[in-house]
Amino acid sequence: TQLVLQNADREIMKMGGIYHPPTRELALDALLDSIPLKLFTPFLSDYLFAINGLGEANLQVRGAVPDLSLRGKIFFRDANVGIRYTGTSYFLPDTLLLEGDKLKLSNFRIFDEKGKNLLLNGEIKHQSFRQFNYKLTLNMNDFLLFDNAASVNRRPSFLLASRHLFTRIRLR
């Protein structure tokens, strides 16, 4: 079965695959081209705000529901997203690699509201997008890591302040 979503005469999403109900096995391939990231707001609004920009992806989903494996690449184009827990917005101009039970970040750049960058390297392991295990190196210079005094943050926090960091951090 195949699903195609068009905008005027251009395909912006093409998905196809097979679901086998007795074994709950799914094999799905998806190509997304210039999808507005705002479409994901209803699913991410507890964590993110001001979701803008475009995304492109080449994804493969395989396995038995609910233990699915997701592989592929997600490309962010002019993407901007605010994170509720940090209270600040970030610009994402890079590519995220999905390899089954991990998200791989290789020189993944994130820019803060003033154009200062954070460079991420490493991986985030997970079990069906739960129970995350981080192995990351963060390099930053005057990067706005959090501004949870901002009015958009509705989450309780251990600290209310704005903090710029000049450092290299390893999370293991």
Side-chain angles (χ1 to χ4, degrees):
T1 305
Q2 191 167 9
L3 170 70
V4 176
L5 181 61
Q6 289 186 296
N7 184 3
D9 61 346
R10 193 173 57 84
E11 291 181 355
I12 60 171
M13 181 175 68
K14 184 186 262 186
M15 293 175 46
I18 298 170
Y19 177 66
H20 190 251
T23 61
R24 300 182 66 175
E25 290 285 325
L26 176 68
L28 177 72
D29 295 320
L31 288 172
L32 308 173
D33 183 18
S34 300
I35 294 289
L37 296 175
K38 281 186 179 205
L39 293 176
F40 299 99
T41 298
F43 309 105
L44 301 171
S45 63
D46 284 348
Y47 312 101
L48 306 175
F49 66 91
I51 302 169
N52 292 300
L54 300 172
E56 298 177 7
N58 183 349
L59 303 171
Q60 299 82 42
V61 181
R62 302 284 186 274
V65 177
D67 297 316
L68 297 171
S69 172
L70 181 61
R71 296 187 174 280
K73 293 182 180 181
I74 299 174
F75 310 95
F76 297 103
R77 199 169 68 212
D78 298 323
N80 190 355
V81 61
I83 299 178
R84 291 205 184 280
Y85 288 106
T86 64
T88 190
S89 293
Y90 303 107
F91 176 68
L92 309 172
D94 229 321
T95 301
L96 180 62
L97 300 174
L98 306 166
E99 294 185 358
D101 66 345
K102 61 184 114 173
L103 308 172
K104 293 201 79 167
L105 302 154
S106 179
N107 292 320
F108 189 86
R109 296 168 297 146
I110 299 174
F111 292 89
D112 69 12
E113 297 165 349
K114 295 190 178 176
K116 302 291 184 171
N117 79 357
L118 164 70
L119 191 64
L120 284 166
N121 282 290
E123 63 187 29
I124 302 170
K125 287 189 173 187
H126 60 87
Q127 292 180 358
S128 299
F129 293 95
R130 293 182 301 276
Q131 300 175 0
F132 293 93
N133 182 6
Y134 304 91
K135 275 185 145 179
L136 296 171
T137 301
L138 295 76
N139 288 300
M140 63 194 93
N141 186 4
D142 196 23
F143 183 78
L144 181 61
L145 192 58
F146 66 91
D147 185 5
N148 61 4
S151 62
V152 74
N153 183 17
R154 294 179 178 86
R155 301 278 187 224
S157 176
F158 65 93
L159 181 65
L160 291 176
S162 293
R163 288 293 173 253
H164 291 261
L165 291 183
F166 304 82
T167 192
R168 176 183 175 122
I169 300 172
R170 276 214 165 107
L171 301 175
R172 301 273 177 209

